[in-house]
Amino acid sequence: MSSLVVIGAQWGDEGKGKLVDYLTVNADLVVRFQGGNNAGHTLVVNGETTKLSLVPSGVLHSKTKCAIGAGVVINPEVFLSEVNKLKEAGVAVDPSRLVIDGRAHLILPYHVAVDQAREEKKGDKKIGTTGRGIGPAYEDAAARCGVQLSELRDLPRLLQRLEGVIAERNLYINKVLGVDKTVTLSEVEGVLKRVAPLILPFMADVSYLVHEASLREEKIVFEGAQGTLLDKNFGTIPFVTSSHTIAGAVSTGVGVSPKIVGHVLGVAKAYSTRVGSGPFPSEIFGELADKLRTVGGEFGTVTGRSRRIGWFDAVGMRYAARVNGITSLALTKLDVLSNIPKIKVCVGYNGITDEGLFLNNLENIEPNYIELDGWEGDISKAQKLHHLPQTAQVYLSSLEELCGIPISMISVGAERDATIFSNQASFIKGFIQ
Ligand code: IMP
């Protein structure tokens, strides 16, 4: 089968953007299926950095078509500004190669206002959301009062419906949350009138397009956002995002059969990071955490926040392997771990190694570690597994054994070329040819 899904196997920010960019070199189609502009994908090609949050990461390959499925929440102004930035950079992004499903829900100013007011009210109990209105937009979709892209075709009718919705949101912000912020109907009307003529040409039936592409045996990459441990059902609730981030979300987020996915590529960093609040069993602090944060550039693409740092968590990874059915793992940022004498890997919590622990409260648990030898020097030029120092190779094989999944790709730098394939990469190699 010629399709693969790329999903985050940790708490997001695993470096999926770089991999999707790499894997779409010869792909026909790349499809986003969940999340919104809470995601941030950084691509570095020939020294040029491109940051995207909604437009799929394969956009830099002119022959690859890009689609955004119904499961994604779209801030229309953000989408249009990304399109403009890409155009300015000389990338072709017209509706002939970039489309959004008409069923996708929109993020409007009152969603952003609710998200931010709620976090303000929660104080130190906040989730640490990206403040982009993601949760409130998904809530409206579930409550059947959201706004779908296709509704922009009849603005008078939509505005009539929104009058009551906006009044309710303002009451909630002012009276329940006690925050002094009001979003007016005319403000929303202004946004909708401005964006409708610009975004509607991008509207399509992505479910149908992807189905047809798969019948033609085209190469399709499904691009996940965030990570498994932020999934709204299977993550560390309540410190999660509001969508399903696991591989199964391809089906519900695009409107295609789950049988469409041929290979589930999990992406994980060689260590762990997390942005925002919530349990993080293998978290580390102090000098070493600061060093990894600086060397790894661990600051959010979307919010600029410092990321929390931790050792690789094999318990979490076994859990991610199970709930996603990960076929192989792409391990990123191995170069960031260079020049650390001893590297730890979390193998259990409170002496228990069962990954079913992710059902429990992880706040007050004690991580158990094994310690492996580190390596010295710059590994970013390594092209083959055997170019890596022996101890780095042992680190990789230990992770494979501890997590029970093969590592097919290893990323040793931000550039496209700084990627090593293992002998477990036959599907992936065939896919990019
Ligand atoms: P929301 O998705 O903005 O509602 O934020 C909910 C939680 O998910 C917060 O802890 C965010 O920091 C986290 N989050 C959302 N998107 C990303 C991402 O792309 N990478 C990493 N963390 C994310």
Side-chain angles (χ1 to χ4, degrees):
M1 209 171 307
S2 53
S3 82
L4 69 90
V5 57
V6 178
I7 50 98
Q10 297 164 317
W11 277 284
D13 307 317
E14 297 93 349
K16 298 178 290 296
K18 172 191 153 164
L19 283 162
V20 171
D21 170 60
Y22 198 90
L23 294 164
T24 45
V25 162
N26 279 318
D28 299 291
L29 188 57
V30 52
V31 192
R32 272 281 302 268
F33 54 93
Q34 46 76 225
N37 63 313
N38 46 352
H41 294 156
T42 309
L43 318 177
V44 183
V45 183
N46 301 329
E48 287 287 315
T49 300
T50 306
K51 292 191 176 189
L52 300 173
S53 65
L54 274 171
V55 174
S57 299
V59 71
L60 300 184
H61 306 296
S62 56
K63 284 196 225 114
T64 309
K65 289 206 167 122
C66 302
I68 301 178
V72 178
V73 281
I74 315 275
N75 182 318
E77 294 185 297
V78 171
F79 172 79
L80 292 169
S81 112
E82 271 183 36
V83 165
N84 283 340
K85 274 195 226 140
L86 284 163
K87 276 188 186 155
E88 279 162 23
V91 181
V93 274
D94 55 69
S96 68
R97 66 173 298 242
L98 172 63
V99 289
I100 310 173
D101 197 292
R103 305 167 185 91
H105 279 78
L106 301 184
I107 299 180
L108 294 172
Y110 53 92
H111 295 121
V112 179
V114 167
D115 193 359
Q116 294 176 355
R118 244 188 220 153
E119 287 285 277
E120 190 182 319
K121 165 94 184 183
K122 281 190 181 139
D124 20 315
K125 298 231 165 45
K126 68 180 178 192
I127 293 171
T129 71
T130 55
R132 301 296 195 260
I134 307 293
Y138 277 120
E139 279 166 39
D140 280 5
R144 292 148 291 182
C145 61
V147 177
Q148 292 182 284
L149 175 61
S150 59
E151 287 185 274
L152 298 190
R153 291 178 298 188
D154 187 349
L155 282 186
R157 185 173 164 178
L158 172 61
L159 285 164
Q160 206 176 20
R161 183 168 76 74
L162 282 185
E163 203 174 339
V165 175
I166 293 174
E168 240 183 59
R169 296 302 171 270
N170 282 327
L171 263 181
Y172 174 65
I173 295 171
N174 303 151
K175 302 281 182 232
V176 180
L177 299 176
V179 172
D180 184 20
K181 163 93 191 159
T182 301
V183 176
T184 62
L185 181 64
S186 67
E187 188 184 328
V188 176
E189 182 177 357
V191 171
L192 294 175
K193 285 191 166 152
R194 202 166 50 246
V195 300
L198 300 172
I199 199 168
L200 278 173
F202 291 92
M203 188 173 85
D205 185 343
V206 171
S207 158
Y208 177 77
L209 287 180
V210 175
H211 176 73
E212 291 290 303
S214 86
L215 291 181
R216 291 191 296 270
E217 289 280 319
E218 290 186 8
K219 286 185 180 170
I220 309 170
V221 175
F222 295 99
E223 176 182 13
Q226 293 85 46
T228 302
L229 304 176
L230 289 173
D231 183 278
K232 71 175 174 152
N233 275 9
F234 298 98
T236 49
I237 295 168
F239 303 103
V240 292
T241 191
S242 304
S243 65
H244 284 299
T245 57
I246 61 174
V250 167
S251 177
T252 52
V254 182
V256 286
S257 161
K259 291 185 286 189
I260 200 169
V261 176
H263 189 103
V264 180
L265 183 70
V267 187
K269 277 180 197 166
Y271 47 99
S272 307
T273 63
R274 174 164 203 166
V275 204
S277 319
F280 186 2
S282 63
E283 185 166 15
I284 54 173
F285 302 91
E287 232 172 78
L288 183 58
D290 292 342
K291 178 180 162 177
L292 288 171
R293 187 175 298 113
T294 309
V295 178
E298 297 296 357
F299 301 93
T301 317
V302 174
T303 57
R305 288 181 290 179
S306 276
R307 294 181 185 145
R308 297 157 66 192
I309 308 284
W311 295 116
F312 188 93
D313 186 338
V315 186
M317 192 55 55
R318 283 199 299 275
Y319 178 70
R322 176 164 65 78
V323 297
N324 291 291
I326 292 177
T327 325
S328 77
L329 194 66
L331 199 76
T332 61
K333 293 194 160 185
L334 185 66
D335 52 310
V336 176
L337 281 186
S338 296
N339 307 313
I340 297 172
K342 293 282 178 195
I343 299 174
K344 291 185 184 178
V345 179
C346 176
V347 293
Y349 308 147
N350 295 343
I352 305 167
T353 56
D354 178 6
E355 38 87 3
L357 282 169
F358 266 85
L359 257 183
N360 297 334
N361 174 6
L362 298 177
E363 288 286 3
N364 295 312
I365 51 100
E366 200 49 49
N368 309 122
Y369 292 112
I370 56 163
E371 207 170 66
L372 298 165
D373 289 332
W375 55 89
E376 290 199 343
D378 177 12
I379 59 166
S380 64
K381 301 285 175 298
Q383 295 282 303
K384 301 256 187 269
L385 213 50
H386 67 263
H387 296 163
L388 291 172
Q390 189 61 31
T391 45
Q393 293 182 44
V394 171
Y395 184 65
L396 297 174
S397 54
S398 306
L399 296 191
E400 285 185 318
E401 205 173 306
L402 289 165
C403 305
I405 30 175
I407 297 176
S408 52
M409 297 170 83
I410 302 117
S411 166
V412 289
E415 288 278 348
R416 249 183 215 164
D417 297 345
T419 307
I420 300 172
F421 291 96
S422 80
N423 52 12
Q424 307 279 356
S426 52
F427 178 91
I428 308 278
K429 276 184 170 169
F431 192 85
I432 56 179
Q433 262 159 24

